[in-house]
Amino acid sequence: MSFLLVHGAGMDASCWDLLVPHLGSDVVAVDLPGRGSRSGEDLRQVTLNSCAEAIVAEAIKNDLDEITVVAHSFAGVSVPRAVGGLAGRLKNLVFLSAVVPPNGTRVIDGIDPTVREAVESSLAGGIYSQDPAAIPAMLCNDMDTELTDWTVSRVVDDAAALLSEPVDLAGLKADVPRTYIRLTQDACYTPELQERSAQRVGGSTVFFDSGHMPMVSQPEALARLLNELATI
């Protein structure tokens, strides 16, 4: 049994650092292209397919079996593309407040119209950069100052193309158990959006009382839940 952890937008694998010691199996945290150990790859060339390929490559490289994949936030659009490549290794899927838009749409299509223009203007040059001043309110509303600073220090640039590529959810048709974890204090991906994504994912839904980054704010409690889900 093993865990394969996939980070969301503007993060790298280090966002899981506080959680990993509490998980009861082999654990691999993936760096998606252009981030962390893959920072040498040009973010302007990153696609959803290259993200999926990186996820599969880590599973193969580390010879993982009976994998519980945990897709956090924006990983909800890359993990479904990786399901086929994980065939024979995959045990179940966990979507942690994951962004799962309607099949064939783009992530940017679902952004609130009042902020969409601002987001689109930030995509110039193929790089998506988050405003550091906005991060505490969006990601850290359930954290103290120390954890907030820790989280902000780990935010990195991301690939703009990932917001504007059509989403392919075909992988969700696979006969694999899946769970959507809805975060009740999430100020980044609202409860309404989580509900819609959970419906697209299917399977079971559980609720967890935290903001958008429970692997930081409540690592031990989240680990207990993930360890439980991994045995299903």
Side-chain angles (χ1 to χ4, degrees):
M1 188 169 69
S2 58
F3 285 101
L4 190 62
L5 311 177
V6 187
H7 63 77
M11 291 285 170
D12 60 27
S14 69
C15 72
W16 303 101
D17 283 355
L18 302 182
L19 172 75
V20 168
H22 303 291
L23 294 174
S25 306
D26 292 334
V27 183
V28 172
V30 178
D31 274 318
L32 295 178
R35 272 67 60 86
S37 62
R38 289 186 167 90
S39 60
E41 300 179 42
D42 188 351
L43 277 173
R44 293 168 295 183
Q45 304 300 319
V46 173
T47 65
L48 290 175
N49 277 338
S50 65
C51 289
E53 289 166 1
I55 295 167
V56 174
E58 283 298 317
I60 295 173
K61 173 185 173 182
N62 291 279
D63 196 25
L64 299 184
D65 197 13
E66 294 191 303
I67 303 170
T68 293
V69 176
V70 182
H72 177 242
S73 192
F74 202 84
V77 300
S78 55
V79 163
R81 291 180 182 240
V83 169
L86 296 173
R89 298 174 180 267
L90 188 58
K91 183 178 182 182
N92 56 37
L93 298 166
V94 177
F95 292 83
L96 180 60
S97 193
V99 179
V100 186
N103 190 53
T105 67
R106 306 174 305 161
V107 170
I108 201 165
D109 294 332
I111 293 177
D112 189 321
T114 62
V115 300
R116 178 169 172 171
E117 183 177 351
V119 171
E120 288 180 321
S121 68
S122 72
L123 304 182
I127 305 293
Y128 172 51
S129 298
Q130 298 185 63
D131 179 1
I135 292 169
M138 295 292 287
L139 303 182
C140 311
N141 57 305
D142 62 336
M143 300 182 195
D144 60 21
T145 300
E146 182 179 0
L147 287 177
T148 296
D149 291 345
W150 189 94
T151 302
V152 172
S153 72
R154 277 156 176 78
V155 174
V156 297
D157 287 343
D158 212 324
L162 302 183
L163 289 166
S164 55
E165 273 194 72
V167 171
D168 182 356
L169 302 183
L172 295 182
K173 296 178 181 178
D175 185 19
V176 179
R178 75 283 307 273
T179 302
Y180 195 101
I181 301 176
R182 290 178 58 181
L183 304 179
T184 60
Q185 299 183 49
D186 199 330
C188 180
Y189 200 52
T190 65
E192 294 79 10
L193 292 174
Q194 291 180 62
E195 181 178 12
R196 295 174 197 167
S197 287
Q199 291 172 351
R200 296 182 190 111
V201 166
S204 61
T205 297
V206 298
F207 292 83
F208 190 87
D209 189 24
S210 80
H212 192 64
M213 303 288 291
M215 70 285 280
V216 178
S217 62
Q218 299 188 52
E220 293 185 49
L222 179 60
R224 286 194 294 271
L225 174 58
L226 294 176
N227 286 330
E228 179 182 344
L229 292 175
T231 63
I232 295 175

